[in-house]
Amino acid sequence: MKTNKFNDKTMLVAWLFTLLCWGNTALVMVFSPFVVLEVTALCFAIVATQITFYVTKRVAEQNPLVASVYKNLFGDC
């Protein structure tokens, strides 16, 4: 099985993507007349956030600075 090595750039891209997903969700919630689009955008943003947390935790295993921030924000590392 192939091991995934994540670096700081991957983590930064994941966080930016997550912020964009939540921005998109906010816009869809405000302007969309369809409930299905709102629910889909919300589910996608939640999944993107969970993946970002996973990537951040993996980067924290290699980077002590990220580990310190992760531990202070989320409590475990």
Side-chain angles (χ1 to χ4, degrees):
M1 183 173 186
K2 186 175 127 181
T3 11
N4 292 329
K5 299 230 177 188
F6 299 111
N7 58 19
D8 298 341
K9 290 179 185 177
T10 307
M11 184 184 69
L12 180 63
V13 168
W15 277 106
L16 289 175
F17 182 72
T18 300
L19 287 175
L20 289 173
C21 285
W22 283 106
N24 179 49
T25 301
L27 289 173
V28 167
M29 293 288 185
V30 170
F31 296 114
S32 175
F34 305 111
V35 175
V36 138
L37 290 177
E38 295 174 2
V39 172
T40 304
L42 183 61
C43 290
F44 187 77
I46 291 171
V47 169
T49 304
Q50 292 299 315
I51 292 170
T52 301
F53 286 159
Y54 172 78
V55 169
T56 304
K57 191 170 186 175
R58 294 296 155 238
V59 170
E61 292 174 352
Q62 302 165 1
N63 188 332
L65 179 64
V66 175
S68 174
V69 171
Y70 187 88
K71 186 175 181 182
N72 286 328
L73 289 176
F74 305 116
D76 66 340
C77 189

